[in-house]
Amino acid sequence: MNRKLVSVLLSLSLSFVLVLVSACSNSTNSSQPAVNGEEPKQATNEKGEVDYAFGSYEETVTLHTVRAEYASAQFPDGDDMTKNIWTRAYKERFNIDVVTDWVTDEYDTKLNLAISSKKLPDVFHVNPTQLQQLIKADMIMDLTEVFNKYASDRVKSYMEADRSSYESGMKDGKLYGIPQMHWGIIDQPDYIWIRNDWKEELGLPDPKTIDDLKNIALKFKEAYGGFGMAVDQTLDYLNLLAVGWGAHPDMWIPGEDGKLVYGTIQPEMKNALADWAEWYKLGIIDPEFAIKDFSAMNAGVVSGKAGIQPYYQWWGYNPGVDVVTNLGKEAVFYPYNIPTVDGKPATHSIFFANGVYTVVNKNCKNPEAVIKLLNFYAYMLDEGAQNEDPETLSAFLDNDIAHVTGAFKIINPETDYTQFEHVSEALKTNDTSKFTTSGMWQKYNNSVEFKKNGTPAATGDYLQQGSPKPAYGLAKSILDNEQYIKTALWGAPPEVLVKYGSTLDDILTEGFTKIIMGAESIDYFDKVVENWRTAGGNEVTEAVNEMYGQ
């Protein structure tokens, strides 16, 4: 899995731009936004005041939307993506009838077809590139006024918590796309995950330097066979270690002259590749990595062939659950800070985290209804534990039902940081009185469950929050000590990056793989960089600097 937003955007068809100009909505609601015209009739309180954020309509309001399939959701009998506890609540609590025109597991493709056939719904979600294209085509609504009037204080606080992501949904100071936001940058630092029972059996110290990590891998290989480290053919996971050499692949960072440069082609990356080529020769790196996808990479870990894996904070969910199921509780991997060449703390890479925006068709009659449903989602996730009974809350949130709301989803960007603070403290004191969300209870209960019974399904929450070396504990220290830099590309990429991006990525991945496997010497790095530049890299660099440079 590739976390980079740019990689997702590169898969978009450039033909999307061509169909925008002629596309228009099939919505039956063709009047101007109600917030700019006649006030929609809503229930009032005892004082006769309208509750703009949560008030119900006197007459039913209908919103048409479309959704991406969410396969992991486990619906009760009779429910599905188009009708479920969320859609029923919209009607019961707000008198809003949400009609889903279609559901698909190829959302971008189907949305492009909907645009070309002039059948856009009232509300839908888009990625950053689509947002900019829709704004340019004048097809979506300026939501500035309606958002300011109808958004709840909580939703507005999300925007202030990550102002730069909020402003990425704007054009010329006007709000066109409401960012879905993210769980927080505490999710972004990366780690080297090491199998704990092997490490303890061999009495190996925690890795502080790159040489320490190399030694652990060699000791594992000698004692247990297999290979030292699991990575895959994309190099995405191996690249997570690059910060140990001071490299920042996939990021746009200031160069020596102040202009933005691409981190993957900088000299520090060459140093990392030289060491990785040595690791491959020593058998540390999986000798078959070049033909292994994500699943095959994880299979090596689950089968006990590898005891080290560069990975994200969610290792405990996949492959962690399968590791514990197949190899037992003691075989769990723990996260460690990525070591560096000189033993000093690594500077981590932070990417633009918001990849989704809620947009409203310019011809939608009741755009304020969209804001109400976003308010409701935020309420259920952040305040539901204090105001709803446990059975109701469970029905809305458990079994991944919280993720089926499509365009009506918005996330608190401080969720995971705050959650970890409360859960980690409660695990020390057994005092859960400060829990305010269902997520806190889930993380706490699963951490306790794993400690007591080693239940595989609880592995993810335990390693993230409750273990002796919790991933979030390491991340919190990194954030608190400001041991990170942010990419300069903070929003939609330039169109030329979408045009050339996949080709440029392939040039680097193929060239670097040849160096690692010994088919080319380390000096081939300079040729790979030259190929990248001439294939469009120079043009992309110029465009990125024009859009995001100082």
Side-chain angles (χ1 to χ4, degrees):
M1 176 180 178
N2 195 328
R3 70 179 176 183
K4 298 172 291 183
L5 175 62
V6 172
S7 296
V8 176
L9 299 172
L10 295 176
S11 66
L12 293 174
S13 169
L14 288 176
S15 62
F16 181 69
V17 181
L18 302 177
V19 302
L20 284 171
V21 178
S22 62
C24 63
S25 173
N26 73 331
S27 171
T28 57
N29 300 324
S30 59
S31 66
Q32 290 300 308
V35 71
N36 294 324
E38 183 180 351
E39 192 73 45
K41 293 181 179 179
Q42 300 175 58
T44 58
N45 59 23
E46 295 179 354
K47 297 181 180 180
E49 300 169 333
V50 175
D51 181 356
Y52 292 109
F54 295 99
S56 174
Y57 292 99
E58 291 185 4
E59 297 181 2
T60 301
V61 165
T62 300
L63 289 175
H64 284 262
T65 191
V66 293
R67 303 175 193 266
E69 185 67 71
Y70 199 85
S72 62
Q74 300 175 38
F75 292 101
D77 290 343
D79 282 6
D80 57 29
M81 289 290 295
T82 67
K83 61 180 190 313
N84 51 64
I85 190 169
W86 285 98
T87 59
R88 287 190 291 275
Y90 300 155
K91 187 66 168 66
E92 294 165 1
R93 302 195 186 203
F94 298 93
N95 202 13
I96 299 173
D97 185 16
V98 172
V99 178
T100 301
D101 294 337
W102 48 258
V103 180
T104 179
D105 58 1
E106 295 186 1
Y107 182 83
D108 283 331
T109 300
K110 182 115 180 181
L111 182 60
N112 289 348
L113 290 173
I115 295 169
S116 64
S117 61
K118 306 178 182 180
K119 292 183 179 179
L120 278 178
D122 294 306
V123 54
F124 51 104
H125 68 254
V126 297
N127 63 44
T129 295
Q130 292 168 325
L131 173 65
Q132 296 305 316
Q133 292 166 342
L134 286 164
I135 294 172
K136 187 176 182 180
D138 193 26
M139 293 180 65
I140 54 176
M141 189 177 293
D142 171 7
L143 297 171
T144 308
E145 185 177 348
V146 71
F147 183 84
N148 289 340
K149 184 171 184 177
Y150 285 88
S152 67
D153 289 342
R154 177 168 293 281
V155 167
K156 289 177 180 177
S157 75
Y158 293 177
M159 303 301 136
E160 290 305 317
D162 185 358
R163 185 77 189 179
S164 58
S165 287
Y166 175 50
E167 292 177 353
S168 73
M170 296 180 177
K171 180 74 171 180
D172 299 327
K174 297 178 180 180
L175 179 67
Y176 291 93
I178 301 171
Q180 179 178 280
M181 290 297 185
H182 48 87
W183 301 111
I185 62 172
I186 194 172
D187 290 321
Q188 290 211 39
D190 306 309
Y191 313 97
I192 188 70
W193 292 78
I194 301 176
R195 182 165 166 171
N196 192 56
D197 56 350
W198 288 1
K199 182 174 177 292
E200 290 191 347
E201 286 172 8
L202 298 178
L204 299 174
D206 296 353
K208 301 295 184 185
T209 67
I210 294 298
D211 283 342
D212 292 340
L213 183 60
K214 173 184 172 183
N215 181 62
I216 292 172
L218 291 173
K219 293 292 185 182
F220 280 4
K221 185 175 182 296
E222 178 183 348
Y224 306 109
F227 47 88
M229 184 181 298
V231 296
D232 79 334
Q233 60 193 350
T234 68
L235 298 185
D236 287 337
Y237 295 88
L238 187 55
N239 280 345
L240 301 183
L241 297 180
V243 295
W245 286 264
H248 295 278
D250 306 314
M251 286 188 68
W252 289 92
I253 55 179
E256 292 182 358
D257 61 358
K259 292 185 177 180
L260 299 179
V261 296
Y262 194 47
T264 316
I265 64 170
Q266 302 312 304
E268 294 83 0
M269 196 68 193
K270 185 175 183 179
N271 296 334
L273 285 166
D275 282 347
W276 295 345
E278 180 194 4
W279 289 5
Y280 181 83
K281 187 182 298 185
L282 293 172
I284 290 175
I285 292 176
D286 182 354
E288 298 181 342
F289 82 91
I291 59 172
K292 288 189 174 180
D293 60 12
F294 175 79
S295 296
M297 170 186 69
N298 282 347
V301 176
V302 174
S303 65
K305 292 182 179 179
I308 300 175
Q309 189 172 24
Y311 213 82
Y312 312 127
Q313 53 84 15
W314 46 270
W315 184 95
Y317 302 94
N318 183 16
V321 171
D322 289 337
V323 167
V324 174
T325 299
N326 290 287
L327 303 176
K329 176 182 177 180
E330 301 306 318
V332 72
F333 286 42
Y334 282 140
Y336 295 84
N337 283 318
I338 292 175
T340 59
V341 172
D342 58 11
K344 296 179 181 179
T347 299
H348 288 256
S349 304
I350 300 296
F351 292 84
F352 178 66
N354 184 77
V356 177
Y357 299 82
T358 293
V359 298
V360 177
N361 188 312
K362 193 172 183 180
N363 296 320
C364 178
K365 183 178 180 180
N366 294 107
E368 77 290 334
V370 176
I371 311 301
K372 286 176 179 285
L373 299 189
L374 290 173
N375 294 341
F376 179 59
Y377 189 90
Y379 160 80
M380 289 302 298
L381 270 289
D382 273 356
E383 298 171 270
Q386 303 169 67
N387 299 297
E388 304 287 336
D389 64 71
E391 292 77 17
T392 299
L393 199 63
S394 175
F396 276 100
L397 306 183
D398 291 350
N399 300 312
D400 276 348
I401 301 300
H403 300 297
V404 304
T405 54
F408 307 112
K409 180 178 180 180
I410 194 163
I411 301 168
N412 182 352
E414 296 183 330
T415 292
D416 283 348
Y417 187 96
T418 303
Q419 181 174 264
F420 174 70
E421 287 187 315
H422 287 308
V423 171
S424 59
E425 181 64 25
L427 288 168
K428 296 174 185 176
T429 64
N430 296 320
D431 178 7
T432 58
S433 62
K434 295 181 180 179
F435 286 2
T436 58
T437 68
S438 58
M440 294 179 187
W441 280 107
Q442 174 192 314
K443 303 295 184 182
Y444 176 82
N445 289 334
N446 279 341
S447 294
V448 173
E449 175 65 22
F450 188 91
K451 288 180 180 180
K452 288 183 177 179
N453 303 312
T455 303
T459 306
D461 289 343
Y462 168 74
L463 290 176
Q464 188 188 69
Q465 309 258 341
S467 79
K469 298 179 184 294
Y472 277 175
L474 298 177
K476 184 177 183 300
S477 177
I478 290 167
L479 299 187
D480 290 349
N481 293 312
E482 297 185 349
Q483 295 167 215
Y484 62 87
I485 60 171
K486 293 183 176 181
T487 182
L489 201 162
W490 209 257
E495 289 184 11
V496 68
L497 180 53
V498 178
K499 177 182 177 181
Y500 288 124
S502 59
T503 299
L504 296 177
D505 281 350
D506 288 345
I507 288 172
L508 297 178
T509 300
E510 291 171 10
F512 291 177
T513 298
K514 289 178 180 179
I515 292 173
I516 293 169
M517 298 182 71
E520 297 284 355
S521 73
I522 189 60
D523 291 333
Y524 184 63
F525 175 86
D526 301 320
K527 178 63 176 177
V528 174
V529 172
E530 180 184 344
N531 292 341
W532 181 89
R533 292 187 183 281
T534 57
N538 284 338
E539 190 176 345
V540 167
T541 300
E542 183 178 344
V544 170
N545 272 280
E546 183 177 346
M547 182 174 286
Y548 291 102
Q550 300 298 323

